[in-house]
Coordinates of all heavy atoms in Angstrom, one line a residue:
M613 N 197.5 -36.0 43.1 CA 198.3 -37.1 43.3 C 197.4 -38.2 44.1 O 196.7 -37.8 45.0 CB 199.5 -36.8 44.1 CG 200.3 -38.0 44.5 SD 201.8 -37.6 45.4 CE 203.0 -37.6 44.1
E614 N 197.5 -39.4 43.7 CA 196.7 -40.5 44.3 C 197.2 -40.7 45.7 O 198.4 -40.6 46.0 CB 196.7 -41.7 43.5 CG 196.0 -41.6 42.2 CD 195.9 -42.9 41.4 OE1 196.0 -44.0 42.1 OE2 195.9 -42.9 40.2
E615 N 196.3 -41.1 46.6 CA 196.6 -41.5 47.9 C 197.3 -42.9 47.9 O 197.0 -43.7 47.1 CB 195.4 -41.6 48.8 CG 194.7 -40.3 49.0 CD 195.5 -39.4 49.9 OE1 196.1 -39.9 50.9 OE2 195.5 -38.2 49.6
P616 N 198.3 -43.1 48.7 CA 199.0 -44.4 48.7 C 198.0 -45.5 49.2 O 197.1 -45.2 50.0 CB 200.2 -44.2 49.7 CG 199.9 -43.0 50.5 CD 198.9 -42.2 49.6
L617 N 198.2 -46.7 48.7 CA 197.3 -47.8 49.1 C 197.7 -48.2 50.6 O 198.8 -48.1 51.0 CB 197.6 -49.0 48.3 CG 197.2 -48.9 46.8 CD1 197.5 -50.1 46.0 CD2 195.7 -48.6 46.7
E618 N 196.6 -48.5 51.3 CA 196.8 -49.0 52.7 C 197.3 -50.4 52.6 O 196.9 -51.2 51.8 CB 195.5 -48.9 53.5 CG 195.1 -47.4 53.8 CD 193.9 -47.4 54.7 OE1 193.7 -48.3 55.5 OE2 193.1 -46.4 54.5
Y619 N 198.1 -50.8 53.6 CA 198.5 -52.2 53.7 C 198.8 -52.5 55.1 O 198.9 -51.6 56.0 CB 199.8 -52.5 52.8 CG 201.0 -51.8 53.4 CD1 201.9 -52.6 54.2 CD2 201.3 -50.5 53.2 CE1 203.0 -52.0 54.7 CE2 202.5 -49.9 53.7 CZ 203.3 -50.7 54.5 OH 204.4 -50.1 55.0
R620 N 198.9 -53.8 55.4 CA 199.3 -54.2 56.8 C 200.3 -55.3 56.7 O 200.3 -56.1 55.7 CB 198.1 -54.6 57.6 CG 197.4 -55.9 57.0 CD 196.1 -56.2 57.8 NE 195.4 -57.2 57.2 CZ 195.5 -58.5 57.4 NH1 196.3 -58.9 58.3 NH2 194.8 -59.4 56.8
E621 N 201.2 -55.3 57.6 CA 202.2 -56.3 57.7 C 201.7 -57.4 58.6 O 201.0 -57.2 59.6 CB 203.5 -55.8 58.2 CG 204.2 -54.8 57.3 CD 205.5 -54.3 57.8 OE1 206.2 -55.1 58.5 OE2 206.0 -53.3 57.3
A622 N 202.1 -58.7 58.3 CA 201.6 -59.8 59.1 C 202.8 -60.8 59.2 O 203.5 -61.0 58.3 CB 200.4 -60.5 58.5
T623 N 202.9 -61.4 60.4 CA 203.9 -62.4 60.6 C 203.1 -63.7 60.5 O 202.1 -63.9 61.2 CB 204.5 -62.3 62.0 OG1 205.1 -61.0 62.1 CG2 205.5 -63.4 62.3
I624 N 203.6 -64.6 59.7 CA 203.0 -65.9 59.5 C 203.8 -67.0 60.3 O 205.0 -67.1 60.1 CB 203.0 -66.3 58.0 CG1 202.2 -65.2 57.2 CG2 202.3 -67.7 57.8 CD1 202.3 -65.3 55.7
G625 N 203.1 -67.7 61.1 CA 203.7 -68.7 61.9 C 204.1 -68.2 63.3 O 203.8 -67.1 63.6
G626 N 204.7 -69.1 64.1 CA 205.0 -68.7 65.4 C 206.4 -68.4 65.8 O 206.9 -68.4 66.9
G627 N 207.3 -68.0 64.7 CA 208.6 -67.6 65.0 C 209.6 -68.8 65.0 O 210.8 -68.5 65.3
G628 N 209.2 -70.0 64.7 CA 210.1 -71.1 64.7 C 210.9 -71.2 63.4 O 210.7 -70.4 62.5
E629 N 211.8 -72.1 63.4 CA 212.7 -72.3 62.2 C 212.0 -72.6 60.9 O 212.5 -72.4 59.9 CB 213.8 -73.3 62.6 CG 214.9 -73.3 61.6 CD 215.7 -72.0 61.5 OE1 215.8 -71.3 62.5 OE2 216.2 -71.8 60.4
R630 N 210.9 -73.3 61.0 CA 210.2 -73.8 59.8 C 209.1 -72.9 59.2 O 208.4 -73.2 58.3 CB 209.5 -75.2 60.1 CG 210.5 -76.3 60.4 CD 211.4 -76.6 59.3 NE 210.7 -77.0 58.1 CZ 211.2 -77.1 56.9 NH1 212.4 -76.7 56.7 NH2 210.4 -77.5 55.9
N631 N 209.1 -71.7 59.7 CA 208.1 -70.7 59.2 C 208.4 -70.4 57.7 O 209.6 -70.3 57.3 CB 208.2 -69.4 59.9 CG 207.6 -69.5 61.3 OD1 206.8 -70.4 61.6 ND2 208.0 -68.6 62.2
E632 N 207.4 -70.3 56.9 CA 207.6 -70.1 55.5 C 206.6 -68.9 55.1 O 205.5 -68.8 55.6 CB 207.2 -71.3 54.6 CG 208.2 -72.4 54.8 CD 208.0 -73.6 53.9 OE1 207.4 -73.4 52.8 OE2 208.5 -74.7 54.2
A633 N 207.1 -68.1 54.1 CA 206.3 -67.0 53.6 C 206.6 -67.0 52.1 O 207.7 -67.2 51.7 CB 206.6 -65.7 54.3
E634 N 205.6 -66.7 51.3 CA 205.7 -66.6 49.8 C 205.2 -65.2 49.4 O 204.3 -64.7 50.0 CB 204.9 -67.7 49.1 CG 205.3 -69.1 49.4 CD 204.4 -70.1 48.7 OE1 203.3 -70.2 49.2 OE2 204.8 -70.7 47.8
E635 N 205.8 -64.7 48.3 CA 205.4 -63.4 47.8 C 205.6 -63.4 46.3 O 206.5 -64.0 45.8 CB 206.1 -62.3 48.5 CG 207.6 -62.3 48.3 CD 208.3 -61.1 49.1 OE1 207.6 -60.2 49.6 OE2 209.5 -61.2 49.2
L636 N 204.7 -62.6 45.7 CA 204.9 -62.3 44.2 C 205.1 -60.8 44.1 O 204.3 -60.1 44.7 CB 203.6 -62.7 43.5 CG 203.4 -64.2 43.2 CD1 202.1 -64.5 42.5 CD2 204.6 -64.9 42.5
L637 N 206.0 -60.4 43.4 CA 206.3 -59.0 43.2 C 206.2 -58.6 41.7 O 206.8 -59.3 40.9 CB 207.7 -58.6 43.7 CG 208.1 -59.0 45.1 CD1 209.5 -58.9 45.4 CD2 207.3 -58.2 46.1
F638 N 205.6 -57.5 41.4 CA 205.5 -57.1 40.0 C 206.8 -56.6 39.6 O 207.5 -55.8 40.2 CB 204.4 -56.0 40.0 CG 204.3 -55.3 38.6 CD1 203.8 -56.1 37.5 CD2 204.7 -54.0 38.4 CE1 203.6 -55.5 36.3 CE2 204.6 -53.5 37.1 CZ 204.0 -54.2 36.1
A639 N 207.3 -57.1 38.4 CA 208.6 -56.7 37.9 C 208.5 -55.9 36.6 O 209.5 -55.3 36.1 CB 209.5 -57.9 37.7
G640 N 207.3 -55.9 36.0 CA 207.1 -55.1 34.8 C 206.3 -55.7 33.7 O 205.9 -56.9 33.8
M641 N 205.9 -55.0 32.7 CA 205.1 -55.5 31.6 C 205.7 -55.0 30.3 O 206.1 -53.9 30.2 CB 203.7 -54.9 31.7 CG 202.7 -55.4 30.7 SD 202.1 -57.0 31.1 CE 200.8 -57.2 29.9
T642 N 205.9 -56.0 29.4 CA 206.4 -55.6 28.0 C 205.6 -56.3 27.0 O 205.4 -57.5 27.1 CB 207.9 -56.0 27.9 OG1 208.1 -57.4 28.1 CG2 208.8 -55.3 28.8
V643 N 205.1 -55.7 26.0 CA 204.4 -56.2 24.9 C 203.7 -57.5 25.2 O 204.0 -58.6 24.7 CB 205.3 -56.4 23.7 CG1 204.5 -56.7 22.4 CG2 206.2 -55.2 23.4
G644 N 202.7 -57.4 26.1 CA 201.9 -58.6 26.4 C 202.5 -59.6 27.3 O 201.9 -60.7 27.6
E645 N 203.7 -59.3 27.8 CA 204.3 -60.3 28.7 C 204.5 -59.7 30.1 O 205.1 -58.6 30.3 CB 205.7 -60.7 28.2 CG 206.4 -61.7 29.1 CD 207.7 -62.2 28.5 OE1 208.7 -61.5 28.7 OE2 207.7 -63.2 27.7
L646 N 203.9 -60.3 31.1 CA 203.9 -59.8 32.5 C 205.1 -60.5 33.2 O 205.2 -61.8 33.1 CB 202.6 -60.2 33.2 CG 202.5 -59.9 34.7 CD1 202.4 -58.4 34.9 CD2 201.3 -60.6 35.3
Q647 N 205.9 -59.8 33.9 CA 207.0 -60.4 34.6 C 206.8 -60.2 36.1 O 206.5 -59.1 36.6 CB 208.3 -59.8 34.2 CG 208.7 -60.1 32.8 CD 210.1 -59.6 32.4 OE1 210.7 -58.9 33.2 NE2 210.5 -60.0 31.2
V648 N 206.9 -61.3 36.9 CA 206.8 -61.2 38.3 C 208.0 -61.9 39.0 O 208.6 -62.8 38.3 CB 205.4 -61.9 38.8 CG1 204.2 -61.1 38.4 CG2 205.3 -63.3 38.4
I649 N 208.3 -61.6 40.2 CA 209.3 -62.2 40.9 C 208.7 -63.0 42.0 O 207.8 -62.5 42.8 CB 210.3 -61.2 41.5 CG1 211.0 -60.4 40.4 CG2 211.4 -61.9 42.4 CD1 211.8 -59.2 40.9
Y650 N 209.0 -64.3 42.1 CA 208.4 -65.2 43.1 C 209.5 -65.4 44.2 O 210.7 -65.7 43.8 CB 208.0 -66.5 42.6 CG 207.8 -67.6 43.6 CD1 206.6 -67.6 44.3 CD2 208.7 -68.6 43.9 CE1 206.3 -68.5 45.3 CE2 208.5 -69.5 44.9 CZ 207.3 -69.5 45.6 OH 207.1 -70.4 46.6
R651 N 209.2 -65.2 45.4 CA 210.1 -65.4 46.5 C 209.5 -66.3 47.6 O 208.3 -66.1 47.9 CB 210.6 -64.1 47.2 CG 211.4 -63.2 46.3 CD 211.8 -62.0 47.0 NE 212.6 -61.1 46.2 CZ 212.8 -59.8 46.4 NH1 212.2 -59.2 47.5 NH2 213.4 -59.1 45.5
R652 N 210.3 -67.2 48.1 CA 209.8 -68.0 49.3 C 210.9 -67.8 50.4 O 212.1 -68.0 50.1 CB 209.7 -69.4 48.9 CG 209.1 -70.3 50.1 CD 208.8 -71.7 49.6 NE 210.1 -72.3 49.4 CZ 210.3 -73.6 49.3 NH1 209.3 -74.4 49.4 NH2 211.5 -74.1 49.0
H653 N 210.4 -67.4 51.5 CA 211.3 -67.3 52.7 C 211.0 -68.4 53.7 O 209.9 -68.8 53.9 CB 211.0 -65.9 53.4 CG 211.2 -64.7 52.5 ND1 212.4 -64.1 52.5 CD2 210.4 -64.1 51.7 CE1 212.3 -63.1 51.6 NE2 211.1 -63.1 51.1
I654 N 212.1 -68.9 54.2 CA 212.0 -70.0 55.2 C 212.8 -69.5 56.5 O 213.9 -69.1 56.4 CB 212.6 -71.3 54.7 CG1 211.9 -71.8 53.5 CG2 212.6 -72.4 55.8 CD1 212.5 -73.0 52.8
G655 N 212.1 -69.7 57.6 CA 212.7 -69.4 58.9 C 212.8 -67.9 59.1 O 212.0 -67.1 58.5
A656 N 213.7 -67.4 59.9 CA 213.8 -66.0 60.2 C 214.7 -65.2 59.3 O 214.8 -64.0 59.5 CB 214.3 -65.9 61.7
S657 N 215.3 -65.8 58.3 CA 216.3 -65.1 57.4 C 215.5 -64.2 56.5 O 214.5 -64.5 55.9 CB 217.0 -66.1 56.6 OG 217.8 -65.5 55.6
P658 N 216.0 -62.9 56.4 CA 215.4 -62.0 55.5 C 215.7 -62.3 54.0 O 215.0 -61.8 53.2 CB 216.0 -60.6 55.9 CG 217.3 -61.0 56.5 CD 217.1 -62.3 57.2
E659 N 216.7 -63.1 53.8 CA 217.0 -63.5 52.4 C 216.1 -64.6 51.9 O 215.9 -65.6 52.7 CB 218.5 -63.9 52.3 CG 219.5 -62.8 52.7 CD 219.4 -61.7 51.7 OE1 219.3 -61.9 50.5 OE2 219.5 -60.5 52.2
P660 N 215.6 -64.5 50.7 CA 214.7 -65.6 50.2 C 215.5 -66.9 50.0 O 216.6 -66.9 49.6 CB 214.2 -65.1 48.9 CG 215.1 -64.0 48.5 CD 215.8 -63.5 49.7
A661 N 214.9 -68.0 50.4 CA 215.4 -69.3 50.1 C 215.3 -69.7 48.6 O 216.1 -70.4 48.0 CB 214.7 -70.4 50.9
V662 N 214.2 -69.1 48.0 CA 214.0 -69.3 46.6 C 213.6 -68.0 46.0 O 212.8 -67.3 46.6 CB 212.8 -70.3 46.4 CG1 212.4 -70.5 44.9 CG2 213.1 -71.7 46.9
E663 N 214.2 -67.7 44.8 CA 213.8 -66.5 44.1 C 213.9 -66.8 42.6 O 214.9 -67.3 42.1 CB 214.7 -65.3 44.4 CG 214.3 -64.0 43.7 CD 215.1 -62.8 44.1 OE1 214.8 -62.3 45.2 OE2 216.0 -62.5 43.4
E664 N 212.8 -66.5 41.9 CA 212.8 -66.7 40.4 C 212.0 -65.7 39.7 O 211.0 -65.2 40.3 CB 212.4 -68.1 40.0 CG 211.0 -68.5 40.4 CD 210.6 -69.9 40.1 OE1 210.5 -70.2 38.9 OE2 210.5 -70.7 41.1
I665 N 212.4 -65.3 38.5 CA 211.6 -64.4 37.7 C 210.8 -65.2 36.8 O 211.3 -66.1 36.1 CB 212.6 -63.5 36.9 CG1 213.4 -62.6 37.9 CG2 211.8 -62.6 36.0 CD1 214.5 -61.8 37.2
I666 N 209.5 -64.9 36.7 CA 208.6 -65.7 35.9 C 207.9 -64.7 34.9 O 207.4 -63.6 35.3 CB 207.5 -66.3 36.8 CG1 208.2 -67.3 37.8 CG2 206.5 -67.1 36.0 CD1 207.3 -67.7 38.9
A667 N 207.9 -65.1 33.7 CA 207.2 -64.3 32.6 C 206.0 -65.1 32.1 O 206.1 -66.3 31.8 CB 208.2 -64.0 31.5
V668 N 204.9 -64.4 32.0 CA 203.6 -65.0 31.5 C 203.0 -64.1 30.5 O 203.1 -62.9 30.6 CB 202.7 -65.4 32.6 CG1 203.2 -66.5 33.5 CG2 202.3 -64.2 33.4
Q669 N 202.3 -64.7 29.5 CA 201.6 -63.9 28.5 C 200.3 -63.3 29.2 O 199.6 -64.1 29.8 CB 201.2 -64.7 27.3 CG 202.4 -65.2 26.5 CD 203.2 -64.1 26.0 OE1 202.7 -63.2 25.3 NE2 204.5 -64.1 26.2
A670 N 200.1 -62.1 29.1 CA 198.9 -61.4 29.7 C 198.6 -60.1 29.1 O 199.5 -59.5 28.5 CB 199.2 -61.2 31.2
A671 N 197.4 -59.7 29.2 CA 196.9 -58.4 28.7 C 195.8 -58.0 29.6 O 195.4 -58.8 30.4 CB 196.4 -58.6 27.2
G672 N 195.4 -56.8 29.5 CA 194.3 -56.3 30.3 C 193.1 -57.2 30.2 O 192.7 -57.6 29.2
G673 N 192.6 -57.6 31.4 CA 191.4 -58.5 31.5 C 191.8 -60.0 31.5 O 191.0 -60.8 31.7
A674 N 193.1 -60.3 31.3 CA 193.5 -61.7 31.3 C 193.6 -62.2 32.7 O 193.9 -61.5 33.7 CB 194.9 -61.8 30.7
E675 N 193.2 -63.5 32.9 CA 193.4 -64.2 34.2 C 194.7 -65.0 34.1 O 195.0 -65.6 33.1 CB 192.3 -65.2 34.4 CG 191.0 -64.5 34.9 CD 190.0 -65.5 35.4 OE1 190.3 -66.7 35.7 OE2 188.8 -65.1 35.5
V676 N 195.5 -64.8 35.1 CA 196.9 -65.4 35.2 C 197.0 -66.2 36.4 O 196.5 -65.8 37.5 CB 197.9 -64.2 35.1 CG1 199.3 -64.8 35.2 CG2 197.8 -63.4 33.9
T677 N 197.7 -67.3 36.3 CA 198.0 -68.2 37.5 C 199.6 -68.3 37.6 O 200.2 -68.7 36.6 CB 197.4 -69.5 37.4 OG1 196.0 -69.4 37.3 CG2 197.7 -70.4 38.7
V678 N 200.1 -67.9 38.7 CA 201.5 -68.0 39.0 C 201.7 -68.6 40.4 O 201.2 -68.1 41.4 CB 202.2 -66.6 38.9 CG1 203.7 -66.8 39.3 CG2 202.0 -66.0 37.6
K679 N 202.4 -69.8 40.4 CA 202.6 -70.5 41.7 C 201.4 -70.7 42.5 O 201.4 -70.6 43.7 CB 203.7 -69.7 42.5 CG 205.0 -69.7 41.9 CD 205.7 -71.0 41.8 CE 207.1 -70.9 41.3 NZ 207.8 -72.2 41.3
G680 N 200.3 -71.0 41.9 CA 199.0 -71.2 42.6 C 198.2 -70.0 42.8 O 197.0 -70.1 43.2
V681 N 198.7 -68.8 42.6 CA 198.0 -67.6 42.8 C 197.3 -67.2 41.5 O 198.0 -67.1 40.5 CB 198.9 -66.4 43.3 CG1 198.2 -65.1 43.4 CG2 199.6 -66.7 44.6
R682 N 196.0 -67.0 41.5 CA 195.3 -66.6 40.3 C 194.8 -65.2 40.5 O 194.2 -64.8 41.5 CB 194.1 -67.6 40.1 CG 193.6 -67.4 38.7 CD 192.5 -68.5 38.4 NE 191.3 -68.0 38.9 CZ 190.4 -68.7 39.7 NH1 190.7 -69.9 40.0 NH2 189.3 -68.1 40.1
F683 N 195.1 -64.4 39.4 CA 194.6 -63.0 39.5 C 194.3 -62.5 38.1 O 194.7 -63.1 37.1 CB 195.7 -62.1 40.1 CG 197.0 -62.1 39.5 CD1 197.4 -61.2 38.5 CD2 198.0 -63.1 39.8 CE1 198.6 -61.2 37.9 CE2 199.2 -63.1 39.2 CZ 199.5 -62.2 38.2
E684 N 193.4 -61.5 38.1 CA 193.0 -60.8 36.8 C 193.8 -59.6 36.7 O 193.9 -58.7 37.6 CB 191.5 -60.5 36.9 CG 191.0 -59.8 35.7 CD 189.6 -59.3 35.8 OE1 189.0 -59.5 36.9 OE2 189.2 -58.6 34.9
V685 N 194.5 -59.4 35.5 CA 195.2 -58.2 35.2 C 194.2 -57.2 34.7 O 193.6 -57.3 33.6 CB 196.3 -58.4 34.1 CG1 197.0 -57.1 33.8 CG2 197.3 -59.5 34.6
V686 N 193.9 -56.1 35.5 CA 193.0 -55.1 35.1 C 193.7 -54.1 34.1 O 193.1 -53.8 33.0 CB 192.4 -54.3 36.3 CG1 191.5 -53.2 35.9 CG2 191.7 -55.3 37.2
E687 N 194.9 -53.7 34.4 CA 195.7 -52.8 33.6 C 197.1 -53.0 34.0 O 197.4 -53.1 35.2 CB 195.2 -51.4 33.8 CG 195.9 -50.4 33.0 CD 195.5 -49.0 33.3 OE1 194.6 -48.8 34.2 OE2 196.0 -48.1 32.6
A688 N 198.0 -53.0 33.1 CA 199.5 -53.1 33.4 C 200.3 -52.3 32.4 O 200.0 -52.2 31.2 CB 199.9 -54.5 33.4
T689 N 201.3 -51.6 32.9 CA 202.3 -50.9 32.1 C 203.6 -51.4 32.5 O 203.8 -52.2 33.4 CB 202.2 -49.4 32.3 OG1 202.6 -49.0 33.7 CG2 200.8 -48.8 32.1
A690 N 204.7 -50.8 31.9 CA 206.0 -51.2 32.3 C 206.3 -50.9 33.8 O 207.2 -51.5 34.4 CB 207.0 -50.5 31.4
E691 N 205.6 -49.9 34.4 CA 205.9 -49.5 35.7 C 204.9 -49.8 36.8 O 205.2 -49.7 38.0 CB 206.2 -48.0 35.7 CG 207.3 -47.6 34.8 CD 207.5 -46.1 34.7 OE1 206.6 -45.4 35.2 OE2 208.5 -45.7 34.0
Q692 N 203.7 -50.2 36.4 CA 202.7 -50.4 37.4 C 201.6 -51.4 36.9 O 201.5 -51.6 35.8 CB 202.0 -49.1 37.9 CG 201.2 -48.4 36.8 CD 200.6 -47.1 37.3 OE1 200.8 -46.7 38.4 NE2 199.8 -46.4 36.4
I693 N 200.9 -52.0 37.9 CA 199.9 -52.9 37.6 C 198.6 -52.7 38.5 O 198.8 -52.3 39.6 CB 200.4 -54.4 37.8 CG1 199.3 -55.4 37.3 CG2 200.8 -54.7 39.2 CD1 199.8 -56.8 37.2
R694 N 197.5 -52.9 37.9 CA 196.2 -53.0 38.7 C 195.7 -54.4 38.5 O 195.6 -54.8 37.3 CB 195.2 -51.9 38.2 CG 195.6 -50.5 38.6 CD 194.5 -49.5 38.2 NE 193.2 -50.0 38.4 CZ 192.2 -49.8 37.6 NH1 192.3 -49.1 36.4 NH2 191.0 -50.2 37.9
Y695 N 195.4 -55.0 39.5 CA 194.9 -56.4 39.4 C 193.9 -56.8 40.5 O 193.7 -56.0 41.4 CB 196.2 -57.4 39.6 CG 196.8 -57.2 41.0 CD1 196.5 -58.1 42.0 CD2 197.8 -56.3 41.2 CE1 197.1 -57.9 43.3 CE2 198.4 -56.1 42.4 CZ 198.0 -57.0 43.4 OH 198.6 -56.8 44.7
R696 N 193.2 -57.9 40.3 CA 192.2 -58.4 41.3 C 192.6 -59.8 41.6 O 192.7 -60.7 40.7 CB 190.9 -58.3 40.6 CG 189.7 -58.8 41.5 CD 188.4 -58.6 40.8 NE 188.1 -57.2 40.5 CZ 188.1 -56.6 39.3 NH1 188.2 -57.4 38.2 NH2 187.9 -55.4 39.1
V697 N 192.9 -60.1 42.9 CA 193.2 -61.4 43.3 C 192.0 -62.3 43.3 O 191.0 -62.0 43.9 CB 193.9 -61.4 44.7 CG1 194.2 -62.9 45.2 CG2 195.2 -60.6 44.7
L698 N 192.1 -63.5 42.6 CA 191.0 -64.4 42.5 C 191.2 -65.6 43.5 O 190.3 -66.2 44.0 CB 190.8 -64.9 41.1 CG 190.6 -63.8 40.1 CD1 190.5 -64.3 38.7 CD2 189.3 -63.0 40.4
K699 N 192.5 -66.0 43.6 CA 192.9 -67.1 44.5 C 194.3 -66.8 45.1 O 195.2 -66.5 44.3 CB 192.9 -68.4 43.8 CG 193.3 -69.6 44.6 CD 193.2 -70.9 43.8 CE 193.6 -72.0 44.7 NZ 195.0 -72.3 44.5
N700 N 194.5 -66.8 46.4 CA 195.7 -66.5 47.0 C 196.6 -67.8 47.2 O 196.1 -68.8 46.9 CB 195.5 -65.8 48.3 CG 196.7 -64.9 48.7 OD1 197.8 -65.0 48.2 ND2 196.4 -64.0 49.6
F701 N 197.8 -67.6 47.7 CA 198.6 -68.8 48.1 C 197.8 -69.7 49.0 O 197.0 -69.2 49.8 CB 199.9 -68.4 48.8 CG 200.9 -67.7 47.9 CD1 201.1 -66.3 48.1 CD2 201.6 -68.4 47.0 CE1 202.1 -65.7 47.3 CE2 202.5 -67.8 46.2 CZ 202.8 -66.4 46.3
E702 N 198.0 -71.0 48.9 CA 197.3 -71.9 49.8 C 198.1 -72.0 51.2 O 199.2 -71.8 51.3 CB 197.3 -73.3 49.2 CG 196.7 -73.3 47.8 CD 195.5 -74.1 47.7 OE1 195.3 -75.0 48.5 OE2 194.7 -73.8 46.8

Protein backbone atom coordinates (compact mmCIF):
# COMPACT_ATOMS: atom_id res chain seq x y z
CA MET A 1 0.00 0.00 0.00
CA GLU A 2 1.33 3.46 -0.87
CA GLU A 3 2.18 5.90 1.88
CA PRO A 4 -0.29 8.82 2.16
CA LEU A 5 0.93 12.12 0.76
CA GLU A 6 2.20 14.64 3.26
CA TYR A 7 0.37 17.95 3.41
CA ARG A 8 0.19 21.00 5.58
CA GLU A 9 -2.66 23.30 6.46
CA ALA A 10 -2.20 27.03 6.18
CA THR A 11 -4.30 30.00 7.19
CA ILE A 12 -4.26 32.75 4.59
CA GLY A 13 -4.74 36.28 5.87
CA GLY A 14 -5.01 37.68 9.34
CA GLY A 15 -8.42 36.41 10.45
CA GLY A 16 -10.39 39.47 9.31
CA GLU A 17 -13.70 39.44 7.49
CA ARG A 18 -12.17 39.95 4.02
CA ASN A 19 -9.92 36.87 4.02
CA GLU A 20 -10.28 34.81 0.87
CA ALA A 21 -9.13 31.31 -0.02
CA GLU A 22 -9.52 29.40 -3.28
CA GLU A 23 -9.30 25.69 -3.95
CA LEU A 24 -9.60 23.23 -6.81
CA LEU A 25 -10.79 19.71 -6.00
CA PHE A 26 -10.54 16.72 -8.32
CA ALA A 27 -14.04 15.42 -9.12
CA GLY A 28 -13.24 12.70 -11.66
CA MET A 29 -12.22 11.86 -15.20
CA THR A 30 -14.45 10.49 -17.95
CA VAL A 31 -13.43 9.78 -21.55
CA GLY A 32 -10.94 12.64 -21.90
CA GLU A 33 -12.91 15.10 -19.75
CA LEU A 34 -11.44 16.22 -16.42
CA GLN A 35 -13.90 17.53 -13.83
CA VAL A 36 -12.82 19.80 -10.99
CA ILE A 37 -14.72 21.70 -8.33
CA TYR A 38 -13.69 25.32 -7.79
CA ARG A 39 -14.45 26.85 -4.39
CA ARG A 40 -13.80 30.33 -3.07
CA HIS A 41 -14.18 31.03 0.63
CA ILE A 42 -14.58 34.55 2.02
CA GLY A 43 -14.20 35.45 5.67
CA ALA A 44 -14.40 32.89 8.46
CA SER A 45 -17.36 30.92 7.07
CA PRO A 46 -16.61 27.24 6.34
CA GLU A 47 -19.21 27.33 3.54
CA PRO A 48 -17.88 28.45 0.15
CA ALA A 49 -19.12 31.78 -1.20
CA VAL A 50 -18.65 30.39 -4.73
CA GLU A 51 -18.71 26.79 -5.86
CA GLU A 52 -18.83 25.52 -9.43
CA ILE A 53 -18.08 22.31 -11.29
CA ILE A 54 -15.79 22.82 -14.26
CA ALA A 55 -15.19 20.28 -17.03
CA VAL A 56 -12.19 20.57 -19.37
CA GLN A 57 -10.84 18.37 -22.14
CA ALA A 58 -7.66 16.67 -20.92
CA ALA A 59 -5.60 13.54 -21.34
CA GLY A 60 -2.35 12.28 -19.86
CA GLY A 61 0.38 14.85 -20.55
CA ALA A 62 -2.10 17.67 -21.26
CA GLU A 63 -1.60 21.13 -19.77
CA VAL A 64 -4.82 22.51 -18.30
CA THR A 65 -5.70 25.97 -16.97
CA VAL A 66 -8.62 26.39 -14.57
CA LYS A 67 -9.30 29.72 -12.81
CA GLY A 68 -5.71 30.81 -13.42
CA VAL A 69 -4.16 27.60 -12.08
CA ARG A 70 -2.12 25.78 -14.73
CA PHE A 71 -1.18 22.14 -14.27
CA GLU A 72 -0.05 19.14 -16.26
CA VAL A 73 -2.17 16.01 -16.03
CA VAL A 74 0.34 13.17 -15.62
CA GLU A 75 -2.31 10.46 -15.24
CA ALA A 76 -6.01 10.50 -14.40
CA THR A 77 -8.72 7.92 -13.84
CA ALA A 78 -12.30 8.19 -12.64
CA GLU A 79 -11.05 8.04 -9.04
CA GLN A 80 -7.60 9.64 -8.88
CA ILE A 81 -5.25 12.08 -10.56
CA ARG A 82 -1.51 12.62 -10.70
CA TYR A 83 -0.57 16.13 -11.72
CA ARG A 84 2.21 18.70 -11.70
CA VAL A 85 1.36 22.31 -10.78
CA LEU A 86 2.90 24.77 -13.24
CA LYS A 87 1.23 27.96 -11.93
CA ASN A 88 -0.74 28.37 -8.72
CA PHE A 89 -3.51 30.84 -7.80
CA GLU A 90 -2.28 34.44 -7.82
